[in-house]
Amino acid sequence: MVYLFEDGKPLSHVEFGAGPDLLAVTDSNGHAHMTLPAGVHSMRFQQDSKVLASWELTLTQGENVQVIVTTFPDGRQPLIDIATSSMASQPADDFAAANLQADGKGFIEGVVLSAENKQPIAGAQVFVSGIAGELRTGQDGSFKIEVPSGDYSISIMHPDFSAQVRDGISVLKDAVRKEVFSMAPTGLELPEFVVLEPHIAGSIASVVEEQRSSSAVANVLGAEQIGRSGDSDAASALRRTTGLTLIGGKFVYVRGLGERYASTLLNGASIPSPDPTRRVVPLDLFPTSVLDSILIQKSYSADRPGEFAGGTVEMRTKRPPDDFFFQFTYQFGLNQGTSFTNGLRYRGGSLDMFGVDDGARKMPASLAAATAGGRQLTQFAPTNPAGLTQEELRKLGNDLSGVWDINKKPIGPDTRINLAIGDSFHKGDFSFGYTSSVRWVDKWNSQQEIQRFYAPTTGDNLELIVDNKVNFTEREANLSGYLGLEAGYTDDHSIFANALVLRQTQDEARITEGWSDSENFVIRRSQLQYMENSLIVGQIGGMHRWQALADLETNWLWTRSNAGRNAPNERSYRFDQIPSGDGRFFFTRRADSNQTNFSKLDDNDESFRLDVKLPLDFHQDYRFALQSGFIKQSRTRDSRIRRFSFGALGPDARRQDVLGLGSLEKILSPEFIGPNGFQLRESTRATDNYVATQDLFSYYGQGDLTLFDKVRLTGGLRVEDNDQVVSTFELFSPNREPLESKLVRKDLLPSVSATWFMTDKQQLRAGYSSSISRPDFRELSPAPFLDPVSDRETLGNPDLQQAKITSYDVRWEYYFSANESMSLGGFWKDITNPIELIILPGPGGVLTLQNAKLAKVYGLEAEIMKHLDFVHPNLRHFYVASNFTWSKSRIELKPENMVAQTTNFRPLQGHSPYIVNFQVGYDNPDRGILATLLYNTIGKRIAEVGSLGAPDKYDQPVHRVDLVYRHQLFNNMALTLNIRNLLDDRIKVIQGSELARSYRMGREFRMGFVLDF
């Protein structure tokens, strides 16, 4: 048998001949097989009459020969490796015994892993020199063979991994020689979002193999797949995955369950969220340029943290490459309706393009000093001798009042720049490597939308009570840096260190104009919002395999992270159009006329994780492994808000000629700030500040049994001991007892899964598990916050309970090849005490969180990824990938939930009944062309639960088409083109039969180039 590769990648449809005769054609694995008589033969591979490789081969009677030929596109001489045996007449099952000699015997025991992610590679062919027949690795990537004592050469082959040959393997009498083989995925050209490395990280072959060998129901999204879709952040990439929907461009719903039911891990460790309104990390914070792969585990296993309902999203950062690389990426972007148009802007700072405030929005030093130590800003009075005089308040007001006005200014293009570098060094059994990247993004978005609110009347009729037009321009600046270091000794020991810094700043100017039935004039509200979100993560970990201790494997990881949110000088104010005022707008004298907020959040998380795995192979047909570990996690949060406003004090604050100046910078100027006009006041609420702590200790035990390479059984139990406290305190009453919310629980979380390996290409897996979802700090605090999705004030609930989830999963999988697969699965989830966002009774429409009674979610998932060469060989560079999810959900409310909500039974908020993804692509490394056309849509879902008799609001289906194109012009340069949102479907929210919200995102065009060295 012969195998033909080009630079590690199998070559198919190549003719193989001996002498003048053509004997065979290589298949998709680069393999050909034939029988030749004894004698000398002139062998050759040829394609289109061009000879790729030729050699002389001498055969004896009954001899079995395996030949591996590797050619190179740059014209180098091919490498030819020949392994031979004269025992071909022996049956394959008996070939080891037939080679045993009287002078002694021993064993060769090995495991074959992916070099990219250390996952086992099943079905790899193993050839041992001088031994007839072939072996294949089992589901755990292992093999074992009994051989005569002596020296051997071993060849490992797999159609989607580079072949590996290892010489000089000595086997002693009555001894076991253990070897670990690491196979790199076959070389592929990846798009600009993937750092091109000598070993291909995140290739389709490696992630499909990980998905196949997992004991749980999981999907793995690799760098190659992400590159084909052209997605530059993790959130955008994940919407292509089966059963996942993207909400607000930041958060992922897994199988219809809200983002609160999905947990986020970084290299196996939990990380805090810089968004104080959400319990999970906004995934658009993570650039795909720092990621090797993303694991989406949908069925729970005991080795995962217990907060697992919809699933766990684990992001894996890049590891050092095999050899030196350097990459520079530049992109220039245009947004329809934004770029080179007039947008809403205000005077900011000189470093806004980098997402760093230069002090322009910082609280004035005088105000910071006056409010230091929790001191409240009040006016002096005989009963308040600690208050400030009117002159002191006037000075503080002048220092604070500055930039208010929003103006129209030209908006420029988007810019994206990424730098990456890495290298590895080897000396003997020791290795060291590094990889590093820096990314900067400056992008704009202007949007016009309609917002309407209704009240129920008679029957199913709705009456319009608020009609607004919203215009805003948002500038988003992303600045990130990553450094990964790794040192290793053989394949058994490695230590790594990662440092990741992510910053995302959103700077928005917004004007909302409209009317309501409670007021007979037009209202114009203006907002200036600037938010710096940051995440800083440091990790040190290691893997150690101890051969002297029966291959005991230990993995450890220490993680320290800080999530921060700084929102300085958020300003909002209101003007009213008085009917008798000739159409002009006047600064309102109502209570909500203006407000300035300074808020800051710090969330710190430190954890240590240890996992130990011991393989116990009692027999080659019964392989068993024990696994155990623990996580100790400590987390703290400190959230603080200070609120200020200017109130009318003197006669100037009531003069129509002053209120009608139009510019708030003219109204709140030194001329009118003081005893005769406006006075600075503090409006900080009693519930605006809170601190929180969480101490979590969890440990587990898990067993993994494989029988006859046909059935795999995995089961375990996890124990989680959680102590969570949220303390909301009144800043100005330090002696008053704070309001404390506690969540102290010890939970036992079992999981069981089974996999039946039906054939070499298909398997059936099933699983059962119990998991939980805890309320987050913000959700347990009564401190109000503005929900960014609904734009409504939301209150936490100190009485919230954690939700319990029972899950059932089943999935059938078929693997056409190592990078082609299809699957069909089903799932069912029962949720007790699900946490839902509901509307409180009253005219304000304030939201809060409550536990409902029960909920259930069930559905089906289907997925396929296939090259089109089965249709015709000329279509070998074309492929299709598609997935479909159908699901239903139902929630049952408690009586106390029904005070304001309209219906007792309804789908879960945010749940879509169907999700469709489809992509067709062309990937031809020889021509340097990659092109992908992608389609995505989801079914309608509840955007906001109906209240007080009004029906639920539903997000309507949106159809999205994207195009990604890359052309490799030279060895070190490629041009790129991305067109996003080609259809530009209008986004609509419908309540009953009425339009509640409507806007378009606009088409996006990105052009750029990539330089690789």
Side-chain angles (χ1 to χ4, degrees):
M1 63 181 68
V2 292
Y3 291 87
L4 177 62
F5 295 87
E6 183 179 67
D7 209 12
K9 184 178 181 180
L11 281 180
S12 61
H13 306 293
V14 178
E15 297 173 329
F16 173 69
D21 301 322
L22 294 177
L23 303 177
V25 176
T26 58
D27 60 17
S28 60
N29 297 326
H31 169 256
H33 184 274
M34 70 294 301
T35 302
L36 295 172
V40 179
H41 299 275
S42 297
M43 317 299 294
R44 72 184 185 281
F45 278 113
Q46 68 181 46
Q47 190 174 42
D48 299 330
S49 300
K50 178 183 177 181
V51 176
L52 303 181
S54 61
W55 68 98
E56 295 292 321
L57 181 65
T58 302
L59 295 175
T60 60
Q61 186 67 35
E63 184 178 11
N64 182 39
V65 175
Q66 172 224 309
V67 182
I68 302 174
V69 179
T70 301
T71 63
F72 301 95
D74 58 8
R76 281 180 288 162
Q77 288 295 317
L79 298 178
I80 301 174
D81 182 81
I82 301 175
T84 180
S85 170
S86 59
M87 302 298 296
S89 60
Q90 296 291 334
D93 292 341
D94 300 327
F95 71 88
N99 283 280
L100 299 182
Q101 304 295 323
D103 58 348
K105 59 185 178 180
F107 289 90
I108 300 175
E109 186 176 299
V111 62
V112 182
L113 306 175
S114 167
E116 184 264 319
N117 54 23
K118 301 303 181 183
Q119 293 296 314
I121 300 175
Q125 295 172 287
V126 182
F127 299 94
V128 181
S129 60
I131 304 296
E134 73 171 68
L135 291 168
R136 287 186 181 268
T137 57
Q139 293 299 323
D140 59 355
S142 66
F143 68 89
K144 188 174 184 178
I145 180 174
E146 192 176 22
V147 298
S149 57
D151 294 332
Y152 293 90
S153 173
I154 295 181
S155 302
I156 309 290
M157 302 182 60
H158 193 283
D160 287 276
F161 291 82
S162 297
Q164 186 176 129
V165 178
R166 186 173 297 177
D167 298 318
I169 297 178
S170 299
V171 179
L172 303 178
K173 180 181 178 181
D174 299 326
V176 177
R177 175 65 182 260
K178 295 184 178 181
E179 295 288 328
V180 177
F181 297 86
S182 295
M183 300 183 72
T186 54
L188 297 169
E189 288 293 328
L190 300 185
E192 71 271 21
F193 301 97
V194 182
V195 177
L196 298 178
E197 301 173 355
H199 92 262
I200 302 304
S203 69
I204 292 178
S206 65
V207 300
V208 169
E209 183 60 36
E210 179 182 357
Q211 181 175 311
R212 183 177 185 173
S213 61
S214 171
S215 64
V217 175
N219 290 91
V220 186
L221 193 62
E224 182 183 351
Q225 295 160 294
I226 294 171
R228 285 178 171 179
S229 64
D231 296 311
S232 57
D233 63 74
S236 299
L238 283 167
R239 77 168 181 264
R240 318 287 183 185
T241 307
T242 310
L244 270 63
T245 54
L246 183 62
I247 305 296
K250 298 174 179 290
F251 303 102
V252 169
Y253 280 32
V254 181
R255 289 175 165 176
L257 294 173
E259 85 277 354
R260 63 161 300 101
Y261 292 105
S263 58
T264 305
L265 306 178
L266 182 68
N267 298 322
S270 298
I271 50 177
S273 172
D275 186 339
T277 68
R278 291 292 184 270
R279 66 184 301 277
V280 295
V281 182
L283 294 174
D284 65 329
L285 196 62
F286 290 86
T288 54
S289 58
V290 304
L291 301 177
D292 266 350
S293 62
I294 306 174
L295 168 69
I296 307 97
Q297 185 170 323
K298 298 177 180 178
S299 65
Y300 177 67
S301 56
D303 59 336
R304 292 285 175 179
E307 285 204 79
F308 185 108
T312 289
V313 176
E314 180 183 358
M315 288 166 289
R316 286 89 165 263
T317 54
K318 285 191 174 296
R319 300 178 59 195
D322 289 337
D323 294 309
F324 175 79
F325 80 93
F326 173 81
Q327 184 186 73
F328 173 78
T329 303
Y330 172 82
Q331 279 194 323
F332 171 89
L334 302 174
N335 291 294
Q336 185 181 24
T338 299
S339 303
F340 304 115
T341 64
N342 287 328
L344 302 181
R345 299 307 303 141
Y346 66 96
R347 296 195 311 276
S350 59
L351 299 177
D352 285 358
M353 64 185 300
F354 300 109
V356 178
D357 181 48
D358 63 356
R361 302 171 182 86
K362 185 179 179 181
M363 181 183 288
S366 58
L367 182 59
T371 57
R375 182 182 178 187
Q376 186 176 12
L377 199 67
T378 58
Q379 184 177 336
F380 172 84
T383 57
N384 182 31
L388 303 178
T389 65
Q390 288 189 353
E391 176 58 26
E392 289 174 321
L393 289 172
R394 184 192 66 79
K395 184 179 183 306
L396 292 176
N398 286 329
D399 290 344
L400 179 61
S401 181
V403 176
W404 293 94
D405 294 348
I406 297 175
N407 302 297
K408 288 190 175 182
K409 293 184 178 180
I411 303 299
D414 295 348
T415 304
R416 288 173 167 84
I417 294 177
N418 191 85
L419 282 170
I421 189 172
D423 200 359
S424 287
F425 309 92
H426 303 269
K427 186 170 184 179
D429 290 332
F430 293 91
S431 64
F432 172 78
Y434 72 92
T435 183
S436 180
S437 65
V438 177
R439 177 177 180 257
W440 170 60
V441 176
D442 184 26
K443 61 181 181 179
W444 299 84
N445 178 39
S446 290
Q447 194 167 290
Q448 299 82 40
E449 66 177 73
I450 297 171
Q451 289 183 356
R452 293 172 181 164
F453 297 89
Y454 301 87
T457 55
T458 57
D460 295 331
N461 296 323
L462 294 174
E463 179 185 2
L464 182 64
I465 58 173
V466 176
D467 189 0
N468 287 331
K469 291 184 178 180
V470 180
N471 293 319
F472 71 83
T473 298
E474 180 185 76
R475 182 180 203 173
E476 182 178 308
N478 293 274
L479 195 60
S480 62
Y482 171 69
L483 174 64
L485 307 174
E486 185 171 345
Y489 174 69
T490 67
D491 287 327
D492 292 333
H493 300 276
S494 66
I495 296 177
F496 66 87
N498 299 323
L500 179 65
V501 179
L502 305 174
R503 284 181 59 90
Q504 182 187 75
T505 301
Q506 295 165 319
D507 184 8
E508 179 184 281
R510 174 185 293 251
I511 296 177
T512 303
E513 189 173 308
W515 64 269
S516 69
D517 64 342
S518 61
E519 297 172 286
N520 60 350
F521 46 80
V522 176
I523 300 170
R524 179 187 292 163
R525 300 180 187 274
S526 302
Q527 292 175 292
L528 309 179
Q529 294 180 314
Y530 180 90
M531 292 177 291
E532 295 177 349
N533 293 323
S534 64
L535 179 63
I536 303 172
V537 183
Q539 294 183 314
I540 301 176
M543 184 282 295
H544 308 278
R545 185 182 297 107
W546 311 96
Q547 295 190 17
L549 299 176
D551 283 342
L552 176 72
E553 183 177 315
T554 58
N555 288 271
W556 57 276
L557 177 66
W558 172 84
T559 302
R560 187 167 187 174
S561 53
N562 169 267
R565 179 184 184 271
N566 183 31
N569 208 0
E570 291 184 296
R571 288 145 283 178
S572 62
Y573 55 95
R574 167 180 164 178
F575 276 72
D576 299 334
Q577 187 181 48
I578 307 301
S580 59
D582 61 20
R584 289 189 299 155
F585 283 82
F586 293 79
F587 185 46
T588 186
R589 294 169 55 190
R590 300 190 177 226
D592 59 347
S593 67
N594 72 95
Q595 185 162 284
T596 302
N597 300 338
F598 294 86
S599 60
K600 190 174 180 61
L601 176 142
D602 275 303
D603 202 329
N604 293 284
D605 192 309
E606 185 172 8
S607 66
F608 181 79
R609 174 173 184 164
L610 177 66
D611 296 273
V612 180
K613 184 177 181 179
L614 178 64
L616 301 171
D617 293 339
F618 303 110
H619 188 272
Q620 63 180 4
D621 294 329
Y622 310 98
R623 294 193 300 276
F624 185 63
L626 286 175
Q627 186 172 339
S628 184
F630 72 87
I631 297 177
K632 181 174 176 57
Q633 182 181 6
S634 179
R635 183 181 167 202
T636 63
R637 175 181 286 186
D638 188 349
S639 178
R640 298 178 184 270
I641 305 175
R642 299 298 290 264
R643 305 176 191 264
F644 304 93
S645 62
F646 288 88
L649 181 63
D652 287 345
R654 292 182 286 273
R655 286 168 46 189
Q656 289 296 95
D657 61 322
V658 174
L659 299 177
L661 287 173
S663 166
L664 193 57
E665 292 180 11
K666 294 180 180 179
I667 298 171
L668 295 181
S669 64
E671 181 181 356
F672 302 116
I673 293 178
N676 292 326
F678 298 92
Q679 185 182 71
L680 182 64
R681 299 169 180 173
E682 181 155 9
S683 51
T684 302
R685 302 173 186 176
T687 56
D688 269 347
N689 298 271
Y690 70 93
V691 293
T693 62
Q694 180 185 22
D695 291 299
L696 175 64
F697 182 73
S698 58
Y699 50 95
Y700 74 95
Q702 182 170 277
D704 192 342
L705 174 65
T706 301
L707 302 173
F708 301 99
D709 277 336
K710 283 294 184 182
V711 177
R712 181 182 182 184
L713 303 174
T714 305
L717 178 68
R718 188 178 192 88
V719 181
E720 296 212 340
D721 192 348
N722 182 59
D723 189 344
Q724 189 171 326
V725 180
V726 180
S727 180
T728 306
F729 60 93
E730 293 189 37
L731 184 64
F732 310 129
S733 302
N735 296 324
R736 182 171 295 181
E737 192 73 18
L739 175 63
E740 283 196 349
S741 304
K742 294 186 177 182
L743 186 63
V744 180
R745 287 196 49 116
K746 193 170 189 176
D747 296 286
L748 304 179
L749 307 173
S751 67
V752 178
S753 68
T755 304
W756 173 27
F757 306 110
M758 304 167 68
T759 68
D760 288 341
K761 291 182 175 294
Q762 61 179 321
Q763 58 192 36
L764 179 67
R765 63 172 86 240
Y768 159 83
S769 64
S770 179
S771 56
I772 56 176
S773 177
R774 300 185 183 97
D776 194 36
F777 292 147
R778 170 65 87 173
E779 297 171 339
L780 287 170
S781 171
F785 60 93
L786 191 69
D787 185 271
V789 175
S790 64
D791 201 29
R792 304 271 284 276
E793 187 169 270
T794 306
L795 299 175
N797 180 358
D799 298 321
L800 278 180
Q801 303 175 38
Q802 70 181 28
K804 181 180 179 181
I805 301 94
T806 303
S807 302
Y808 307 88
D809 292 271
V810 62
R811 187 165 77 177
W812 169 80
E813 301 164 358
Y814 186 88
Y815 296 89
F816 304 100
S817 68
N819 59 3
E820 300 172 300
S821 64
M822 66 181 297
S823 65
L824 177 64
F827 61 91
W828 184 292
K829 294 180 181 291
D830 291 317
I831 308 175
T832 306
N833 292 323
I835 298 173
E836 282 277 290
L837 196 64
I838 62 102
I839 299 177
L840 290 173
V846 176
L847 303 175
T848 191
L849 297 120
Q850 288 186 359
N851 290 106
K853 184 178 180 180
L854 297 168
K856 61 182 178 182
V857 183
Y858 58 93
L860 299 173
E861 296 176 333
E863 181 178 20
I864 187 169
M865 182 165 49
K866 188 77 176 74
H867 291 282
L868 298 182
D869 53 353
F870 72 97
V871 178
H872 192 278
N874 291 339
L875 297 178
R876 64 184 180 275
H877 295 300
F878 289 88
Y879 67 90
V880 294
S882 181
N883 59 69
F884 173 78
T885 302
W886 170 88
S887 61
K888 292 191 70 174
S889 67
R890 180 180 172 92
I891 189 168
E892 180 180 349
L893 305 182
K894 296 179 180 179
E896 54 266 34
N897 303 136
M898 292 298 298
V899 176
Q901 295 197 50
T902 301
T903 56
N904 186 26
F905 298 97
R906 55 169 172 78
L908 283 165
Q909 185 176 359
H911 173 259
S912 296
Y914 63 85
I915 307 167
V916 179
N917 283 292
F918 178 80
Q919 60 178 278
V920 58
Y922 177 80
D923 187 358
N924 188 340
D926 296 331
R927 297 180 61 186
I929 295 176
L930 182 147
T932 314
L933 188 68
L934 305 104
Y935 169 77
N936 167 265
T937 189
I938 61 176
K940 71 175 186 178
R941 61 194 179 198
I942 295 179
E944 185 177 309
V945 175
S947 63
L948 304 175
D952 300 329
K953 294 182 181 180
Y954 277 88
D955 281 319
Q956 300 302 298
V958 174
H959 302 274
R960 181 182 175 107
V961 174
D962 302 328
L963 175 67
V964 179
Y965 180 82
R966 171 191 169 103
H967 197 154
Q968 192 80 29
L969 295 181
F970 311 106
N971 288 337
N972 302 112
M973 182 177 180
L975 295 182
T976 63
L977 171 66
N978 283 9
I979 305 177
R980 322 286 288 178
N981 195 26
L982 271 167
L983 301 180
D984 194 20
D985 247 9
R986 180 171 288 278
I987 298 172
K988 297 179 182 179
V989 178
I990 302 296
Q991 186 172 24
S993 60
E994 303 292 341
L995 180 67
R997 189 181 182 193
S998 176
Y999 62 95
R1000 292 185 189 273
M1001 295 293 294
R1003 297 175 179 86
E1004 182 182 358
F1005 304 85
R1006 300 184 203 162
M1007 295 148 284
F1009 62 88
V1010 184
L1011 297 177
D1012 294 294
F1013 300 97

